[in-house]
């Protein structure tokens, strides 16, 4: 990857969360490569982004083609399809690329409710992805606590903290991505093993959305963090 490569692939970018990120990153001027199992679906999603964001740099591909050459590859498929999707793009991944795991092992994967999570042998969805990616590819966990509805509403800032976990250099690169979306604040979440905590917070947020009747999605804000931007 070169420093000038600003492309972001979003696999499963045809779905709720992925399309939301695609809209936001396209609005920020980044080159967005939407991936799908069916290239035509990705092309349709890319047209939707282009219609919503004037001057958007966005295209649709099959998942492997979207992965090729992208600096950052975001996996945006349901937890139960994470392993198969990661295996399907394995040959397309190259050292230096960063894979972002956004998946949450919700119990819906086994027909149970969305307000609890499943145990994952590796510890988290992110660590499952890390166990399947080739050497030299870094996996970072991020965006699990951000609501798709808020992402897709381009008229308003997203207002959510994003806890980012992974090895230091790729973690920093993904923290910088958060700054592209108005209202998102990146929080240094330390090593990838912390993904299991962040993923389970999503189940809590879904329960809060139900109890407080906020279908748009409740976000996360941590207080007392020193401002490191100064
Ligand atoms: N929705 C939210 O508010 C939210 C919030 C936080 C985190 N997340 C996480 O973000 C990820 C995506 O969520 P989502 O709500 O966008 O999911 P989704 O809309 O249900 O699905 C996303 C995409 O996954 C692909 N997909 C579906 N079945 C598949 C299969 N059998 N094999 C491979 N790919 C398949 C589809 O893309 P193609 O058919 O085009 O291949 C689909 O458009 C999940 O891991 C979720 O936990 C979601």
């Amino acid at each position: 990857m070169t420093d000038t490569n600003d492309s972001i692939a979003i696999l499963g970018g045809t779905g709720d969360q992925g399309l939301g990120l695609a809209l936001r990153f396209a609005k920020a001027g980044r080159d967005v490569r939407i991936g799908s199992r069916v290239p035509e679906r990705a092309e349709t999603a890319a047209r939707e982004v282009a219609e919503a964001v004037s001057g958007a740099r966005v295209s649709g591909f099959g998942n492997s083609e979207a992965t090729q050459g992208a600096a950052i590859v975001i996996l945006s498929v349901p937890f139960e399809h994470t392993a198969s999707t990661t295996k399907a793009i394995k040959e397309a991944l190259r050292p230096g690329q960063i894979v972002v795991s956004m998946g949450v092992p919700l119990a819906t994967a086994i027909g149970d409710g969305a307000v609890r999570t499943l145990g994952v042998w590796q510890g988290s969805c992110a660590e499952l992805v890390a166990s399947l990616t080739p050497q030299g590819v870094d996996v970072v966990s991020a965006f699990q606590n951000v609501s798709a509805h808020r992402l897709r509403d381009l008229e308003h800032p997203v207002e959510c903290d994003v806890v980012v976990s992974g090895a230091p250099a790729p973690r920093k690169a993904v923290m910088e991505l958060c700054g592209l979306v108005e209202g998102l604040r990146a929080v240094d979440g330390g090593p990838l093993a912390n993904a299991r905590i962040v993923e389970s917070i999503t189940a809590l947020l879904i329960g809060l959305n139900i109890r407080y009747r906020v279908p748009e999605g409740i976000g996360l804000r941590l207080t007392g963090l020193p401002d490191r931007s100064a």
Side-chain angles (χ1 to χ4, degrees), residues 29-115:
R30 298 293 289 263
D31 177 22
V32 175
R33 299 169 67 84
I34 295 180
S36 168
R37 289 167 297 169
V38 182
E40 292 73 25
R41 276 210 285 268
E43 286 160 15
T44 303
R47 276 196 296 277
E48 193 177 324
V49 172
E51 277 163 26
V53 177
S54 78
R57 291 189 292 147
V58 58
S59 324
F61 304 94
N63 281 333
S64 287
E65 205 185 342
T67 299
Q68 284 161 15
I72 294 181
V73 179
I74 301 177
L75 280 175
S76 186
V77 299
F79 169 72
E80 57 270 38
H81 307 307
T82 298
S84 59
T85 304
T86 309
K87 288 176 188 169
I89 60 157
K90 200 170 174 175
E91 297 295 314
L93 286 168
R94 292 289 174 270
Q97 281 179 299
I98 296 171
V99 173
V100 177
S101 173
M102 185 167 59
V104 178
L106 295 177
T108 48
I110 56 163
D112 194 9
V115 295

Side-chain angles (χ1 to χ4, degrees), residues 137-174:
V137 173
D138 283 297
V139 175
V140 172
S141 139
F143 303 117
Q144 299 96 330
N145 306 145
V146 183
S147 135
H149 186 283
R150 303 273 183 202
L151 283 171
R152 294 175 73 144
D153 175 10
L154 291 181
E155 299 301 312
H156 297 97
V158 183
E159 299 301 353
C160 189
D161 282 353
V162 178
V163 181
V164 183
S165 306
R171 186 199 316 156
K172 184 167 177 279
V174 176

